Amino acid sequence: MHVVVNAATSADGKLSSRRREQIAISGDEDFARVDRLRADSDAVVVGVGTVLADDPHLTVKDDTLRTERREADRSANPARVVVDSTARTPPDAAILDDAASTYVCVTEAAPVDRRADLADHATLVTAGDDRVDLLRAFAALEEQGLDRIMVEGGGELIFSLFAAGLVDELRTFVGPTVIGGRDAPTLADGEGFVEEFPTLELESVDRLDDGALLTWRVEA
């Protein structure tokens, strides 16, 4: 399995404002790049916080890219995956539509009635007691043939994936704006590292729109 974390941040490293509202960070060039990355992936992963805040579809937007996937004997869109320890994903969330298959990773602690509601719309992956065990969950996804994984946030999930040693590559578009705010979400939130920090090797820097795309390889 190859896991790529992709994110767009402000120049000061924020994903959005302290109100958790989407901010226009990327431009057309970066949107096209992200669409290509989705099209090249087997699955797109987000945390439940992203679902609740943005209600994303996480589908491929470009008709040509969807056609390329079909011609390669793949579904038009990659699978969608929500990491959702307590099954908070609304049954009417856009990510549960019929545009692609969806997996929701939950725990044993998730209320039975919520799990039952979600099971009508998605494949449930139960991994962990109170918090999703990402190693087990991603192993289960790999068993489903999902080998190339794109992670689109948010910061809590991204930190947890780094902590679990599951990230192979980090692609960050840094946009030309400053958001600020001590409570605004960053690329990697969560508890934070205090020792044994992940080490990255910078592979490339490319100018896109009025910002820069940084591509990093995560060293083992």
Side-chain angles (χ1 to χ4, degrees):
M1 176 180 281
H2 186 83
V3 178
V4 178
V5 169
N6 182 80
T9 73
S10 60
D12 58 325
K14 305 296 185 180
L15 294 178
S16 66
S17 73
R18 61 184 172 83
R19 295 178 178 175
R20 275 17 185 208
E21 296 170 342
Q22 284 189 319
I23 303 295
I25 295 174
S26 298
D28 291 342
E29 286 184 284
D30 192 55
F31 288 142
R33 177 193 65 84
V34 171
D35 209 30
R36 165 56 71 179
L37 186 56
R38 282 184 186 170
D40 289 341
S41 301
D42 296 320
V44 180
V45 182
V46 293
V48 66
T50 297
V51 173
L52 295 174
D54 302 334
D55 195 25
H57 284 88
L58 301 183
T59 53
V60 176
K61 309 305 180 189
D62 187 86
D63 289 339
T64 300
L65 294 177
R66 291 197 300 270
T67 298
E68 286 179 6
R69 285 181 59 92
R70 293 190 187 97
E71 289 175 347
D73 202 23
R74 305 170 75 189
S75 60
N77 295 292
R80 289 84 56 91
V81 180
V82 184
V83 177
D84 181 4
S85 295
T86 56
R88 292 187 293 153
T89 301
D92 61 349
I95 203 168
L96 300 178
D97 64 17
D98 60 2
S101 58
T102 302
Y103 298 80
V104 180
C105 302
V106 299
T107 65
E108 298 289 353
V112 174
D113 57 338
R114 291 187 197 167
R115 281 191 272 171
D117 287 342
L118 287 177
D120 290 335
H121 307 280
T123 300
L124 297 189
V125 176
T126 304
D129 297 325
D130 300 308
R131 188 178 179 87
V132 171
D133 183 326
L134 291 170
L135 288 171
R136 286 173 53 192
F138 274 51
L141 296 175
E142 190 172 23
E143 289 177 359
Q144 297 298 314
L146 305 177
D147 295 317
R148 186 166 182 83
I149 306 296
M150 176 187 182
V151 179
E152 294 202 32
E156 295 279 344
L157 174 60
I158 291 172
F159 170 77
S160 296
L161 289 167
F162 271 106
L166 284 167
V167 182
D168 298 293
E169 190 178 343
L170 171 63
R171 301 185 188 184
T172 307
F173 174 79
V174 181
T177 190
V178 172
I179 295 174
R182 65 177 60 88
D183 297 323
T186 65
L187 177 69
D189 286 332
E191 296 178 359
F193 296 103
V194 294
E195 57 185 19
E196 298 183 4
F197 304 95
T199 303
L200 310 179
E201 179 180 341
L202 184 62
E203 292 195 330
S204 64
V205 179
D206 301 290
R207 180 162 185 163
L208 290 179
D209 301 310
D210 290 320
L213 173 66
L214 308 179
T215 301
W216 310 81
R217 182 176 62 81
V218 182
E219 297 185 346

